[in-house]
Amino acid sequence: MQRQHHDNVFLFLPLRKAWLGLTLCCLSLLSLLVSSCARMGNPDGGWYDETMPKVVSTTPEDKGVDVKSQKILINFDEYVKIDNPTENVVISPPQLQAPEIKGQGKRISVQLLDSLKPNTTYTIDFSNAISDNNEGNPLGNYTFSFSTGDHIDTLEVSGYVISAENLEPMKGILVGLYDDLSDTVFKHKPMLRLSRTDSRGHFVIKGIASGKYRAYALQDADGDYVFGQKSEIIAFDHELIEPSFKPDIRQDTTWLDSLHIADIQRVPYTHFLPDNICLRAFNEILTDRHLVKSERKEANHFTLFYSYGDSILPQIQGLNYDANDAFIIDSSLKKDTITYWLKDTALVNQDTLQTVLTHHITDTQGVMRLQNDTLTLLSKQPYAKRLKAEQKAYDTWKKAEDKKKKRGDPYDSIMPKDPLKLNITPNGEMDPDQNVMLIAQEPLNDVDTAYVHLYAKPPKDSLWYREPYDMHRVNNETFMLRAAWKPETEYSLEVDSAAISTIYGLVSGPIKQGLKVRSSDNYGTLMVTLMGMNGKNVIGQLMDNSDKIVKQVFTNTGQLEFFYLKEAKYYLRMVVDDNNNGQWDTGNYDADQQPEAVFYYPEEIECKAKWDVTRSWNPNDTPLFKQKPSAIVQQKADKEKQVQHRNLQRARQLGIDYVNQIKGKL
């Protein structure tokens, strides 16, 4: 009987487990149903965790002295992760051997591989690389420090790195201090104390001893912490930096939402100075010259691409053709891209051109010297292939004309050539300060203006009048037609058939294009008085909301004048053109030359039709790193408060107040 009892128990256990599982499933479904009913009418979701991870202990002690260990352990109150430590964590003094940095659950370990220097303060700047595992809340600007001596250096300096050309924040660039004040140290010694900029271009360098320093910025391409490659972005400043501090009071504000303040507290703190260092970063001109590539996309021309321009164009010798007077040459403004149009049709039909170039090329010593190179220029449109396409087009045309002939319809006995296609801009309405451009895809012959006519019809007049104009060549493929364009006036540009032709025999058909100049009532005017700029050569640039130039003017009178502005919101940039060459010029470290100064008017400027807008602007009133309006800053700040923003939106959905960090009391 006893054994039978045990057998029954064993038989019952699977049935009991199945019954319990079914019961639990039913209870879970009921719980979900009740929960769904309880949330009915409310938005989905709940509060997001926005509490940053906290450091609970470290080994060795943070800010400890007489440290001998090369291994650092940092323990947190929750599971954490570290984002790309190789790029985001910066150690001072710089380490020649990359340290091993790992996330280990609730711990981060750092193993320094370089030997520790005696009597030295070390800082490990994690910036925003550490965050929790749940919502990715960053432990903002966390730095661990220790000293191998009997005291630790605790001074700090901070500031911003911005692009010299457009004042964009420079994210992720190294910023360092030197106590060696010589002018060449940047190329020979690693930086002494380091930091890296955040998404706002902001940096904080910690663990500094008292003394005098100079600051530099470097986008370090080869990891040696010195400026060794011209391709590296750099910034330098001769202003001496003397770190200091003072007791200060700051206001900490707690917000109910984006408009309402919950509380303001006055908090004492140590204010480290200077905190407004501003470095303007730039690329030097890459003067090393080499032939990047050559190509012959179309049979009638080939192009040479150089890494840097030269005032002397390459000399060309043909090995299987005569290169004397064989080309019409186009070169870019910097003479780094040169196009050779073949004048002779026989050369156009020659698929392979064997060419010897004699040109200036930078040698291994960094000196430009004359060098001979042989090129084989192959047409990507072989003659046989083009001939086949032309024959196919002829056969199609001939077939169509034969059908016309059989029907007794008018037909052509000679296949007409396609007319020259010109791109004429503007087309239709135009601004009073625009001019008409006639652009072809290949070099044009000179134009006989006797066959080009411009007529004008004033407002409220039914008659057309001949209008004087000036027509001149812009480049081999472009002509510009200028006239005294009058507002509210209609124009007719008329070009006789065959008046315009290319060097390959393509001719234009008859052209008639209507134009109308908009009324002055459609435009506004902007006048800007520049304080302290009288006598300086200045380029004034109006930018659109994507930071692209809309209109540009030049002055040395301290007055910028912009006419015929369409209704829009503009942003104003100014370049101090020191060498008066009409463009912004970069800097050069060896020549101790800073980039030309660029300023942004810190506010949006709205222009409307019939408005005359005036502004006075002292470009030195606002620090450079605060000048560029946020609406056109391309490098946006990281979304460090994304979780707080989502919680705020959640609170608004529920119709309740939300206070950051005290949401549990709601």
Side-chain angles (χ1 to χ4, degrees):
M1 290 293 294
Q2 186 71 26
R3 178 173 180 176
Q4 183 180 357
H5 171 75
H6 284 300
D7 289 343
N8 290 338
V9 170
F10 293 141
L11 287 170
F12 175 72
L13 280 174
L15 294 173
R16 185 183 179 194
K17 288 180 180 178
W19 180 83
L20 284 172
L22 181 61
T23 303
L24 287 173
C25 283
C26 292
L27 287 173
S28 298
L29 288 171
L30 182 61
S31 175
L32 286 171
L33 182 61
V34 171
S35 175
S36 298
C37 292
R39 290 202 311 267
M40 191 173 297
N42 287 335
D44 289 337
W47 299 112
Y48 294 91
D49 173 25
E50 62 183 64
T51 305
M52 67 178 65
K54 295 179 182 177
V55 177
V56 294
S57 65
T58 65
T59 304
E61 182 184 359
D62 190 10
K63 296 182 176 58
V65 295
D66 294 320
V67 173
K68 308 302 179 187
S69 174
Q70 292 178 238
K71 186 167 186 177
I72 296 97
L73 300 175
I74 305 171
N75 300 305
F76 296 87
D77 63 345
E78 60 179 310
Y79 289 98
V80 295
K81 56 188 176 183
I82 183 162
D83 178 38
N84 194 4
T86 303
E87 293 293 327
N88 295 328
V89 180
V90 179
I91 299 177
S92 295
Q95 304 292 290
L96 297 180
Q97 296 186 74
E100 296 176 356
I101 305 174
K102 299 177 182 178
Q104 301 170 335
K106 293 184 179 182
R107 170 184 291 177
I108 287 175
S109 70
V110 179
Q111 179 69 55
L112 301 179
L113 301 182
D114 284 1
S115 299
L116 296 179
K117 299 178 181 180
N119 300 313
T120 301
T121 294
Y122 282 78
T123 58
I124 306 174
D125 183 359
F126 291 92
S127 187
N128 289 329
I130 301 172
S131 59
D132 65 27
N133 264 342
N134 294 326
E135 298 294 344
N137 296 309
L139 177 61
N141 299 319
Y142 176 63
T143 301
F144 178 87
S145 60
F146 65 90
S147 174
T148 57
D150 59 4
H151 74 281
I152 189 166
D153 300 321
T154 58
L155 293 176
E156 302 177 10
V157 299
S158 58
Y160 294 83
V161 182
I162 55 178
S163 167
E165 185 175 8
N166 56 21
L167 307 195
E168 278 285 312
M170 296 294 297
K171 178 182 178 181
I173 192 170
L174 287 174
V175 187
L177 298 180
Y178 284 101
D179 58 1
D180 183 338
L181 306 181
S182 65
D183 291 337
T184 59
V185 64
F186 195 25
K187 283 195 166 184
H188 303 294
K189 272 189 188 178
M191 292 182 268
L192 182 66
R193 311 300 304 178
L194 289 175
S195 180
R196 197 184 294 274
T197 56
D198 62 16
S199 59
R200 301 169 297 152
H202 186 253
F203 66 88
V204 181
I205 305 176
K206 300 180 180 181
I208 308 172
S210 297
K212 295 182 179 180
Y213 302 88
R214 281 181 178 164
Y216 295 78
L218 173 67
Q219 191 180 67
D220 195 13
D222 48 14
D224 60 358
Y225 300 100
V226 298
F227 175 38
Q229 299 183 23
K230 281 199 170 187
S231 60
E232 293 175 327
I233 297 175
I234 63 167
F236 67 96
D237 196 331
H238 289 311
E239 184 176 350
L240 291 181
I241 296 169
E242 295 189 61
S244 63
F245 66 94
K246 65 177 182 178
D248 210 337
I249 301 290
R250 69 166 178 256
Q251 290 186 343
D252 278 3
T253 304
T254 306
W255 293 83
L256 281 170
D257 54 36
S258 60
L259 298 176
H260 303 93
I261 295 173
D263 188 25
I264 299 177
Q265 295 181 348
R266 292 170 59 83
V267 180
Y269 76 105
T270 301
H271 189 163
F272 292 99
L273 297 169
D275 60 358
N276 60 350
I277 300 168
C278 186
L279 296 174
R280 299 186 299 131
F282 62 93
N283 266 121
E284 291 189 346
I285 295 175
L286 299 176
T287 55
D288 289 349
R289 189 172 198 256
H290 61 273
L291 181 63
V292 177
K293 65 176 180 177
S294 60
E295 64 181 18
R296 190 182 174 194
K297 283 186 176 180
E298 296 179 9
N300 59 5
H301 69 277
F302 62 88
T303 304
L304 306 178
F305 298 87
Y306 289 89
S307 59
Y308 186 67
D310 186 18
S311 59
I312 301 174
L313 294 180
Q315 298 176 24
I316 292 185
Q317 176 187 351
L319 296 179
N320 62 345
Y321 67 98
D322 185 1
N324 292 323
D325 195 30
F327 312 110
I328 290 176
I329 302 174
D330 278 335
S331 64
S332 62
L333 184 63
K334 296 180 180 179
K335 297 189 182 329
D336 54 1
T337 303
I338 309 165
T339 298
Y340 296 82
W341 296 90
L342 305 172
K343 291 182 181 180
D344 191 344
T345 305
L347 287 183
V348 174
N349 294 335
Q350 187 170 324
D351 291 341
T352 303
L353 299 176
Q354 295 286 347
T355 302
V356 175
L357 292 181
T358 303
H359 49 180
H360 283 108
I361 298 295
T362 303
D363 65 13
T364 55
Q365 304 299 317
V367 179
M368 280 220 295
R369 302 185 187 279
L370 277 178
Q371 177 176 309
N372 291 333
D373 288 301
T374 301
L375 299 179
T376 300
L377 299 163
L378 297 175
S379 173
K380 292 187 178 181
Q381 297 178 334
Y383 177 62
K385 186 176 180 180
R386 287 184 289 119
L387 199 62
K388 185 177 180 180
E390 291 171 4
Q391 184 63 47
K392 184 178 180 181
Y394 174 79
D395 291 342
T396 302
W397 169 84
K398 185 70 167 58
K399 189 176 181 180
E401 295 303 310
D402 286 345
K403 286 182 179 180
K404 293 180 185 178
K405 184 178 180 181
K406 286 180 181 179
R407 293 196 303 264
D409 296 336
Y411 67 95
D412 291 324
S413 57
I414 299 176
M415 182 178 176
K417 290 184 178 181
D418 291 333
L420 168 64
K421 294 180 180 178
L422 289 171
N423 181 23
I424 302 177
T425 59
N427 183 1
E429 288 194 322
M430 61 184 292
D431 299 325
D433 56 351
Q434 280 185 286
N435 286 303
V436 177
M437 311 295 290
L438 296 88
I439 307 168
Q441 297 299 311
E442 53 193 45
L444 294 168
N445 293 313
D446 289 336
V447 176
D448 187 344
T449 56
Y451 301 102
V452 179
H453 319 283
L454 183 66
Y455 302 98
K457 186 175 76 169
K460 299 180 181 179
D461 198 332
S462 59
L463 299 178
W464 290 89
Y465 303 91
R466 188 177 291 275
E467 184 75 12
Y469 67 88
D470 167 62
M471 192 172 187
H472 72 278
R473 184 186 289 274
V474 177
N475 55 41
N476 286 324
E477 297 84 43
T478 306
F479 280 89
M480 176 189 288
L481 188 146
R482 296 183 298 186
W485 309 106
K486 303 177 185 68
E488 297 185 79
T489 300
E490 291 184 57
Y491 293 87
S492 178
L493 173 61
E494 300 177 12
V495 182
D496 296 344
S497 181
I500 302 176
S501 63
T502 74
I503 63 171
Y504 302 117
L506 281 178
V507 296
S508 63
I511 297 172
K512 184 173 183 178
Q513 181 152 319
L515 303 163
K516 184 173 182 180
V517 180
R518 296 182 183 92
S519 167
S520 298
D521 291 344
N522 292 321
Y523 304 98
T525 302
L526 172 63
M527 301 289 184
V528 182
T529 301
L530 303 174
M531 314 301 290
M533 292 291 161
N534 194 24
K536 293 185 178 182
N537 297 307
V538 168
I539 306 170
Q541 298 169 330
L542 279 184
M543 325 297 289
D544 62 14
N545 58 10
S546 61
D547 204 24
K548 292 183 179 178
I549 299 172
V550 175
K551 198 174 284 282
Q552 179 170 278
V553 297
F554 303 87
T555 186
N556 59 6
T557 66
Q559 186 80 14
L560 296 175
E561 300 177 346
F562 297 94
F563 299 101
Y564 301 117
L565 297 179
K566 296 175 183 176
E567 284 198 9
K569 294 177 180 178
Y570 296 97
Y571 302 90
L572 177 60
R573 180 167 72 190
M574 179 179 72
V575 178
V576 181
D577 188 13
D578 292 324
N579 58 5
N580 198 26
N581 67 347
Q583 64 183 18
W584 176 82
D585 291 295
T586 189
N588 184 284
Y589 177 72
D590 288 337
D592 194 22
Q593 177 183 325
Q594 290 286 341
E596 289 182 329
V598 173
F599 302 92
Y600 274 78
Y601 186 71
E603 299 174 7
E604 174 186 275
I605 300 175
E606 183 176 8
C607 288
K608 291 189 176 182
K610 302 182 183 180
W611 280 21
D612 291 328
V613 180
T614 59
R615 292 286 188 275
S616 292
W617 179 23
N618 186 339
N620 296 308
D621 276 351
T622 304
L624 273 181
F625 57 85
K626 292 184 178 180
Q627 286 192 6
K628 190 166 187 177
S630 59
I632 58 173
V633 172
Q634 305 298 311
Q635 172 57 57
K636 300 298 184 183
D638 290 337
K639 297 180 180 178
E640 296 172 2
K641 296 185 178 179
Q642 184 177 11
V643 172
Q644 290 93 325
H645 176 72
R646 287 188 291 177
N647 279 336
L648 173 60
Q649 295 300 108
R650 171 71 176 159
R652 286 176 174 172
Q653 286 177 321
L654 296 175
I656 60 177
D657 288 337
Y658 169 76
V659 180
N660 183 28
Q661 295 179 342
I662 60 170
K663 63 177 181 296
K665 300 179 182 179
L666 295 175

